[in-house]
Amino acid sequence: MFLFFPTVLLLAIAIFQTATVRQGHIWGDDFALYIGHARNIVEHRPYAETRFLWDSASQVSPKMYPPVFPLLLAPVYRFFGLNLIAMKIEQVLFFVVALAIIYRLWRRELQMPYRLALIAIIGFSPHFWAAKDNVLSDIPFFLFFFTSAVLVEFAPRESEKWWCWAVLVGLALYFSTGTRTAGIALIAGLVLYDLIKYRTLTRLTAVALAVWTSLLMLQTRIVGSGFASYQGQFRLNLQSIKVNLVAYPRAVAGFWVASTHGWFSFLVLAVVGILGLTGFLVRRTRGITSVEAFLIPYAALVLLWPFSPGIRLAFPFIPWLAFLVLCGLSALTERFAPRYSTIAVCVLLLTLSVAFLRAYQNTDFGKIRQSTGLPEFNELCGEVRKQTRQQDVLVYYRARALALYTDRSVTSYDLHAADEELWQYSQRVHASYLITSNLPEVDRGRSEKVVAKRSSALELAYQNANFKLYRILPTAETVASYARR
């Protein structure tokens, strides 16, 4: 009976998410680099050679991503090919497993109705629902974050099999770091947890860190390290910290009201705020947990990161905050109305469901008409494969997606660079083609400005309603450069 209700709830969440998987993908093309790595793994190519030509000045992405998520995608690519639907269903599986682990994590702290409420709040959230349609590392990292937390929290440090638990903790920490570089915060969190709770580094932690270090060194030896390619992106400044201090609380507040606005949303935030503060005050006397120890350095890293991608980086905070809200509700009902504890949690769920349902009513459940969901982009890819050669270099802002779907070498550029700098960059990389778009979400019209100023050096090779493919004509300088090579 104790497993029946959570199993039914998790199954309902899995069915809901799977049934509403959408075709296509948003313009952000991080997904293409992950899939490019997965394809290389399946086809036994060098891991980092994805045909995306990385440039440190473009700030689009690192040269390569950590290998764990591509390894998870590799079996899907092996059996289904470049099928985004299959990859999104895999994301749903990771999410449901993460929810099961979260249910287990706070088993001792919350009664069953409250644990079920915790899973329902996260599982039916419009934000997590949208995340499954992005083939990104967000959900796998979410899974490994809480897997690490559960293992650290419940590892028996004095039993005869403590070393088995230590190895498992080390593996979970590596999977976190190997999925997202920000997972390095969990290492600091594990050390912090030991120092606060045990006043020393335990042998379990020492062995776990040894396992993590060994696997990280093995990863570097096999596929290389992508840490260096983040240097061009990580530029610490006070302005970005100020922006993050405002942006992330807003993003987390948007979770509770599903980013809807109005007097009802403010009422929900007020109730959630009071309950969360109550839960925090109740919990603070019970000592630090592994989740809190992980979140402290992770919060510092998120605030220092110069770019704010919205709620994605804040996903690990959501279950903890929901836990505090439910702790606060449980404490208040036990004190003032213990007979109505279950009714109280049902009222909270109904209140949140109003905001969630409003968000779903305004949601498009159909095809994502961006990237591969846009016919004009698919037509462009077909023309690129037809008109260009394998050795040609193309310039296009969404370079990773075009490289994945055309198997051509494509490079991006810095949106903030001057027009002349963009042109000089295309000459420096010996680009043969330049692609422009009239869609503002592709590159904000930057490439079209360059074309307007350099029309005499470009020849239109193909166009459709949204894209133009220009052949870059050789100049005297480029001809001389090729002659010297």
Side-chain angles (χ1 to χ4, degrees):
M1 183 61 69
F2 285 104
L3 293 178
F4 175 77
F5 292 111
T7 300
V8 170
L9 178 58
L10 291 173
L11 184 60
I13 293 169
I15 292 172
F16 169 65
Q17 294 230 351
T18 302
T20 55
V21 166
R22 303 171 66 190
Q23 294 183 359
H25 205 284
I26 62 173
W27 279 119
D29 56 347
D30 290 15
F31 78 98
L33 192 56
Y34 284 116
I35 297 174
H37 290 317
R39 179 175 63 183
N40 287 348
I41 292 170
V42 172
E43 299 178 356
H44 306 291
R45 301 181 184 182
Y47 178 80
E49 294 181 10
T50 59
R51 304 304 294 266
F52 164 57
L53 301 182
W54 178 76
D55 180 72
S56 60
S58 70
Q59 301 184 15
V60 172
S61 81
K63 183 178 181 179
M64 57 178 283
Y65 283 128
V68 170
F69 185 42
L71 279 169
L72 296 173
L73 289 174
V76 179
Y77 185 90
R78 170 66 178 81
F79 292 105
F80 298 97
L82 219 170
N83 187 325
L84 293 183
I85 296 295
M87 295 176 184
K88 292 177 181 183
I89 292 175
E90 185 184 39
Q91 294 277 73
V92 174
L93 175 62
F94 295 151
F95 181 57
V96 172
V97 174
L99 292 179
I101 290 172
I102 290 169
Y103 181 88
R104 174 66 179 83
L105 176 63
W106 284 302
R107 188 183 65 179
R108 299 174 181 174
E109 306 288 339
L110 296 173
Q111 297 175 2
M112 177 178 284
Y114 287 81
R115 295 201 305 275
L116 293 174
L118 175 63
I119 300 309
I121 291 169
I122 302 168
F124 290 108
S125 160
H127 287 287
F128 281 104
W129 173 85
K132 62 97 172 52
D133 280 305
N134 296 327
V135 184
L136 301 175
S137 62
D138 302 331
I139 298 301
F141 179 72
F142 183 76
L143 166 61
F144 294 130
F145 183 99
F146 284 99
T147 300
S148 301
V150 164
L151 290 173
V152 171
E153 188 69 27
F154 296 114
R157 285 168 167 75
E158 302 301 328
S159 73
E160 294 181 357
K161 296 295 183 68
W162 67 268
W163 61 272
C164 295
W165 286 86
V167 171
L168 290 175
V169 170
L171 286 171
L173 291 173
Y174 167 72
F175 287 140
S176 299
T177 310
T179 300
R180 176 175 283 172
T181 308
I184 194 72
L186 274 65
I187 305 304
L190 177 60
V191 174
L192 179 65
Y193 179 76
D194 264 17
L195 293 179
I196 293 178
K197 189 165 185 176
Y198 301 104
R199 308 298 181 185
T200 185
L201 287 181
T202 64
R203 59 183 181 178
L204 183 142
T205 293
V207 172
L209 292 179
V211 171
W212 171 78
T213 303
S214 301
L215 291 172
L216 198 62
M217 293 174 62
L218 182 63
Q219 169 191 309
T220 303
R221 184 177 182 85
I222 295 175
V223 303
S225 174
F227 286 100
S229 58
Y230 279 95
Q231 293 177 359
Q233 293 185 300
F234 195 83
R235 297 171 183 174
L236 182 62
N237 62 80
L238 292 177
Q239 183 58 34
S240 65
I241 296 175
K242 291 178 182 178
V243 171
N244 289 340
L245 284 171
V246 175
Y248 284 111
R250 283 182 176 176
V252 172
F255 168 84
W256 293 103
V257 296
S259 297
T260 59
H261 301 282
W263 67 268
F264 183 78
S265 299
F266 289 106
L267 176 63
V268 170
L269 289 177
V271 171
V272 166
I274 293 172
L275 294 177
L277 179 60
T278 303
F280 177 78
L281 294 175
V282 169
R283 284 285 310 141
R284 68 174 183 171
T285 59
R286 301 181 185 178
I288 194 169
T289 67
S290 58
V291 174
E292 293 152 352
F294 286 169
L295 287 176
I296 291 171
Y298 184 75
L301 189 150
V302 167
L303 290 176
L304 293 175
W305 192 252
F307 307 106
S308 175
I311 200 171
R312 288 173 50 203
L313 287 184
F315 276 166
F317 291 94
I318 301 300
W320 178 68
L321 293 173
F323 164 70
L324 292 182
V325 169
L326 291 168
C327 278
L329 180 62
S330 177
L332 290 176
T333 54
E334 285 180 8
R335 180 169 183 179
F336 298 107
R339 296 174 57 184
Y340 300 99
S341 178
T342 302
I343 295 176
V345 75
C346 289
V347 170
L348 176 64
L349 287 177
L350 287 173
T351 303
L352 295 177
S353 68
V354 172
F356 285 12
L357 287 173
R358 282 182 180 177
Y360 283 123
Q361 286 176 346
N362 298 321
T363 296
D364 182 1
F365 287 88
K367 179 187 292 187
I368 302 172
R369 299 189 65 81
Q370 300 181 37
S371 190
T372 60
L374 188 68
E376 288 79 7
F377 177 77
N378 296 325
E379 293 167 7
L380 169 70
C381 292
E383 286 298 321
V384 167
R385 290 191 296 268
K386 183 187 302 182
Q387 295 197 31
T388 66
R389 303 167 298 173
Q390 285 284 337
Q391 62 267 34
D392 287 334
V393 174
L394 293 84
V395 178
Y396 173 60
Y397 184 65
R398 303 295 181 182
R400 296 169 295 181
L402 192 69
L404 176 68
Y405 286 101
T406 63
D407 200 28
R408 296 295 186 268
S409 298
V410 191
T411 187
S412 188
Y413 45 83
D414 183 4
L415 279 180
H416 305 290
D419 296 341
E420 188 60 28
E421 290 178 323
L422 196 158
W423 178 257
Q424 290 174 357
Y425 173 69
S426 70
Q427 298 295 294
R428 189 170 72 250
V429 298
H430 304 293
S432 303
Y433 292 87
L434 171 67
I435 296 174
T436 68
S437 175
N438 58 13
L439 298 170
E441 60 267 33
V442 173
D443 72 346
R444 305 175 196 170
R446 287 288 292 108
S447 54
E448 290 191 320
K449 293 179 181 178
V450 174
V451 169
K453 293 182 179 180
R454 290 281 182 171
S455 57
S456 61
L458 298 165
E459 178 183 65
L460 182 63
Y462 167 78
Q463 68 175 328
N464 60 34
N466 297 124
F467 299 95
K468 292 181 180 179
L469 173 66
Y470 289 95
R471 185 179 294 107
I472 300 177
L473 301 176
T475 62
E477 291 81 4
T478 56
V479 170
S481 175
Y482 276 111
R484 290 192 296 268
R485 291 172 66 185

